Amino acid sequence: MSAPIVVVDYHKGNLLSAARGLAEVGGEAEVTDDPARIAEAAGVVLPGVGAFEDAMAYLRQSGQDEAILSAIGRGVPFLGICLGLQLLFERGDERCDGALHGADDPERWAAGLGVLPGSVSRLRGRLKVPHVGWDQVHLTPHGRVCPLLRGVPEGANAYFTHSYALDEDVDPLVVTCRTHYVRSFASAVWRDNVYGVQFHPEKSSAVGLTILRNYVDLVRGGGR
């Protein structure tokens, strides 16, 4: 690779686990907050740290949002992890003030990157939230042909830690995996060069390493 895989640093927590996971499968990864480095990267990983509205505010203020969109636009393999998956969508209801707004309240939503249509909303139900620990990912027909998930068996266990998830308005044609906790939600997506997973592959043992290895192959041009 002439340029490294970039792990986007949006100043919201420890991002090194994603970089270490990529290094473990032979990927050259650089953690950076520099929009120029993000825009010119061979691959872009947006990891899962922080809250939706807060993260988007930093991405916009820093210019990282435009750099990410530029990289995606030129066909760079993009991988969003946890919050990084959620930020790909049009809107989320995780606000900085922590307030819970009604379903019809226009103040409910914060705007995301808008790469994919749909919403992110809080998990609400009788089960404990946040959803933390190992859970199954169920492949859709789209998932069974997804290069990121090559070698991942149906019903594989992956590690989750989140309170928000993709909502029902997400296009089913981009959904590669579903997970059932509180409600059935899309736990992985794929469209063109854009991939996202709600779980943490860097914490998901052999299954996670398989996914990260597939991603590195995509960056190197061998995954499609």
Side-chain angles (χ1 to χ4, degrees):
M1 293 178 289
S2 58
I5 296 170
V6 159
V7 177
V8 179
D9 179 3
Y10 47 104
H11 294 196
K12 302 303 173 188
N14 177 24
L15 312 177
L16 294 179
S17 60
R20 284 195 295 264
L22 290 164
E24 189 170 347
V25 296
E28 180 189 355
E30 170 190 338
V31 178
T32 183
D33 61 2
D34 182 356
R37 295 293 291 162
I38 296 166
E40 67 188 12
V44 176
V45 176
L46 188 62
V49 180
F52 191 103
E53 185 179 31
D54 195 31
M56 279 305 308
Y58 185 85
L59 291 180
R60 292 193 186 94
Q61 291 163 7
S62 65
Q64 290 178 356
D65 60 337
E66 293 298 331
I68 290 167
L69 294 173
S70 175
I72 290 173
R74 64 183 178 85
V76 164
F78 175 94
L79 175 60
I81 296 173
C82 196
L83 177 62
L85 157 74
Q86 297 173 8
L87 295 174
L88 285 169
F89 288 81
E90 292 173 305
R91 59 185 191 168
D93 67 358
E94 186 177 16
R95 304 305 300 263
C96 292
D97 60 10
L100 297 178
H101 299 272
D104 299 324
D105 186 347
E107 295 298 318
R108 175 181 178 185
W109 300 106
L113 290 168
V115 174
L116 297 172
S119 307
V120 179
S121 62
R122 185 172 176 82
L123 293 171
R124 293 182 176 90
R126 291 178 292 177
L127 297 175
K128 182 180 178 182
V129 175
H131 175 210
V132 177
W134 295 88
D135 210 337
Q136 290 183 309
V137 293
H138 298 284
L139 298 172
T140 67
H142 190 48
R144 287 192 282 272
V145 297
C146 176
L148 186 73
L149 301 177
R150 188 176 60 246
V152 174
E154 159 58 22
N157 283 301
Y159 188 83
F160 291 80
T161 176
H162 64 119
S163 298
Y164 293 77
L166 299 184
D167 216 327
E168 295 178 357
D169 60 351
V170 169
D171 183 356
L173 295 179
V174 306
V175 176
T176 56
C177 290
R178 300 195 72 86
T179 295
H180 312 304
Y181 187 88
V182 177
R183 54 181 164 86
S184 179
F185 60 86
S187 50
V189 301
W190 165 42
R191 190 180 72 183
D192 301 327
N193 57 308
V194 175
Y195 303 84
V197 293
Q198 180 60 66
F199 51 88
H200 288 264
E202 75 279 13
K203 298 179 181 179
S204 295
S205 191
V207 165
L209 290 179
T210 294
I211 290 170
L212 292 177
R213 188 175 294 110
N214 289 341
Y215 175 71
V216 171
D217 285 347
L218 283 164
V219 175
R220 289 174 173 160
R224 293 294 301 273

